[in-house]
Amino acid sequence: MSIFISIASYKDTELVPTIKSIISNADNPSNLHFGVVSQDENRKHPNLDDIVDNLSYLKMDFRQARGAGYARKLAMEMYEGEDFYLQLDSHMRAIQGWDTKLKSMYHQSTKIADTDKIILSQYPAAYEIHTNGKEYFIQTHEELWSTPTWSRVHNRDNGSWSSVREKFDDLSQPHPSHTVLAGYIFAPSKFVEEIPYDERISFMGEELCIAIRAYTRNWKIYAPNEMLFWHFYKRKQSPKIWNQMEDIKRPLKWVEMEMNSKRVQKEILLGREEGIFGIGDYDKYLEYQELIGINFADFYENEINAKVNKGLKTQELIFP
């Protein structure tokens, strides 16, 4: 069964090694179709034709970047009818047989939940690139766990929506989860039609909005019970769209993107956004808030005021 793999990259030197790892560790690499959006300087877009057989590739001038939501929306639009949709970050590594294992965990989850509308997602384990160029796969870390976790919705000190890792009760099967991780989403193809990407959400908060849109359309979110991917967290020396030196080169500034993104998120989470980017069933909307233990109306009326006064922190400070 075929898999469409969506990857959005921003000046990321890890893009090529990521794609190579995905291909070399797949049991059925011929079943993979990559949709890649590279946001970079015109002469620095990597050549992917030599390493990917089935490739849809958009090379975008980095000055036209508008955040993760916009880039992932463009990548999703390259989907061509594959059986599954897989969204990954551009700085990942995969274990051998990841494709077979993902499909197996998906089918296991459909039996547990009694529906085929299953999303598999979780925080990947962590890897780093050391100064000698070698990859180091972190096994023990206080925050970046190497064991499977499910995700609980969390609001950070500056008012941004995110999630925290929670331990599995039973590692013999996938675990119900409260939200998704945008750097690792696996779902059947109908996800592309029912939960298209919202380009208005720049970064933080996209995951909760995906989760609530999906949940209220009868999707179930599960965390895989085996760690299949590693992720390069923080990447302190890598260019980010929100870095000041990147920001001054763009006509659309990061703070403007983020403030608009937060307004959009508020409308979605309060159930006021209409159409495909809003909630589905209202009863499921109430059920989701009970599930995660957050009343959005109460949050936006009371809690958010104490947080927004702290200002917009940089993403390096608030994203692991």
Side-chain angles (χ1 to χ4, degrees):
M1 301 180 78
S2 56
I3 302 175
F4 173 75
I5 303 175
S6 165
I7 299 178
S9 168
Y10 185 86
K11 292 187 173 184
D12 196 348
T13 57
E14 284 292 288
L15 174 60
V16 170
T18 292
I19 293 176
K20 287 182 175 180
S21 176
I22 294 168
I23 294 173
S24 64
N25 287 299
D27 286 341
N28 297 285
S30 62
N31 289 341
L32 308 180
H33 170 209
F34 285 83
V36 179
V37 175
S38 171
Q39 302 159 99
D40 211 330
E41 298 177 38
N42 289 334
R43 296 182 180 181
K44 292 188 176 180
H45 296 287
N47 179 13
L48 303 180
D49 294 330
D50 295 338
I51 62 173
V52 184
D53 292 331
N54 191 1
L55 172 68
S56 299
Y57 192 15
L58 175 61
K59 301 174 183 177
M60 179 194 301
D61 189 303
F62 76 99
R63 290 167 293 190
Q64 301 303 314
R66 289 161 49 186
Y70 180 61
R72 286 170 172 154
K73 173 243 187 188
L74 295 175
M76 180 181 271
E77 290 177 345
M78 300 176 189
Y79 167 78
E80 294 181 351
E82 289 77 17
D83 298 304
F84 290 97
Y85 174 84
L86 174 62
Q87 182 171 290
L88 294 174
D89 276 343
S90 55
H91 30 274
M92 306 275 282
R93 297 293 185 269
I95 73 165
Q96 185 62 49
W98 64 265
D99 50 340
T100 301
K101 293 175 182 290
L102 259 183
K103 293 173 188 176
S104 175
M105 285 188 280
Y106 165 76
H107 290 300
Q108 189 177 8
S109 299
T110 63
K111 294 177 182 178
I112 298 170
D114 194 27
T115 179
D116 64 348
K117 296 176 72 168
I118 295 293
I119 300 170
L120 292 177
S121 186
Q122 71 185 167
Y123 278 105
Y127 80 94
E128 295 177 346
I129 305 296
H130 285 191
T131 53
N132 60 5
K134 291 186 177 181
E135 299 173 354
Y136 173 64
F137 296 90
I138 301 171
Q139 299 300 318
T140 56
H141 192 282
E142 183 179 351
E143 297 178 355
L144 309 177
W145 302 353
S146 60
T147 55
T149 59
W150 63 274
S151 301
R152 176 173 55 83
V153 177
H154 172 67
N155 192 271
R156 294 176 180 268
D157 288 342
N158 73 334
S160 294
W161 292 104
S162 184
S163 62
V164 293
R165 298 166 174 83
E166 296 288 350
K167 293 182 179 180
F168 267 51
D169 297 324
D170 178 7
L171 281 171
S172 68
Q173 61 185 19
H175 192 291
S177 194
H178 290 178
T179 188
V180 301
L181 280 300
Y184 175 11
I185 293 175
F186 183 76
S189 59
K190 65 178 68 176
F191 177 84
V192 177
E193 177 183 352
E194 295 190 15
I195 319 294
Y197 234 86
D198 191 339
E199 64 183 80
R200 301 170 298 170
I201 301 180
S202 52
F203 188 41
M204 301 295 287
E206 63 176 319
E207 296 155 334
L208 177 57
C209 290
I210 290 171
I212 198 168
R213 289 168 57 207
Y215 191 92
T216 57
R217 289 170 174 82
N218 296 311
W219 288 81
K220 301 293 185 182
I221 304 169
Y222 279 80
N225 56 310
E226 182 178 356
M227 199 64 84
L228 304 181
F229 296 99
W230 288 275
H231 183 275
F232 192 175
Y233 293 94
K234 296 187 179 179
R235 301 182 302 123
K236 294 182 179 179
Q237 305 306 315
S238 300
K240 313 288 197 322
I241 186 175
W242 51 79
N243 291 156
Q244 184 178 10
M245 293 307 296
E246 299 294 310
D247 207 35
I248 61 176
K249 301 171 186 175
R250 281 194 322 275
L252 183 60
K253 304 306 179 186
W254 179 251
V255 169
E256 183 181 349
M257 293 185 218
E258 275 284 84
M259 295 306 294
N260 181 64
S261 176
K262 287 180 180 292
R263 286 191 289 268
V264 170
Q265 293 170 44
K266 181 178 179 180
E267 292 300 298
I268 294 171
L269 298 176
L270 287 176
R272 300 195 297 229
E273 175 82 14
E274 297 182 353
I276 194 68
F277 297 119
I279 64 168
D281 181 78
Y282 188 75
D283 288 338
K284 297 291 287 184
Y285 170 65
L286 298 177
E287 182 180 297
Y288 183 71
Q289 292 178 83
E290 184 175 353
L291 173 71
I292 66 175
I294 297 173
N295 182 294
F296 292 117
D298 180 68
F299 174 84
Y300 280 108
E301 183 177 352
N302 299 307
E303 294 183 46
I304 189 64
N305 293 328
K307 295 186 175 186
V308 294
N309 291 333
K310 296 182 179 180
L312 274 175
K313 296 182 181 180
T314 62
Q315 300 298 326
E316 282 90 349
L317 290 177
I318 66 173
F319 189 65

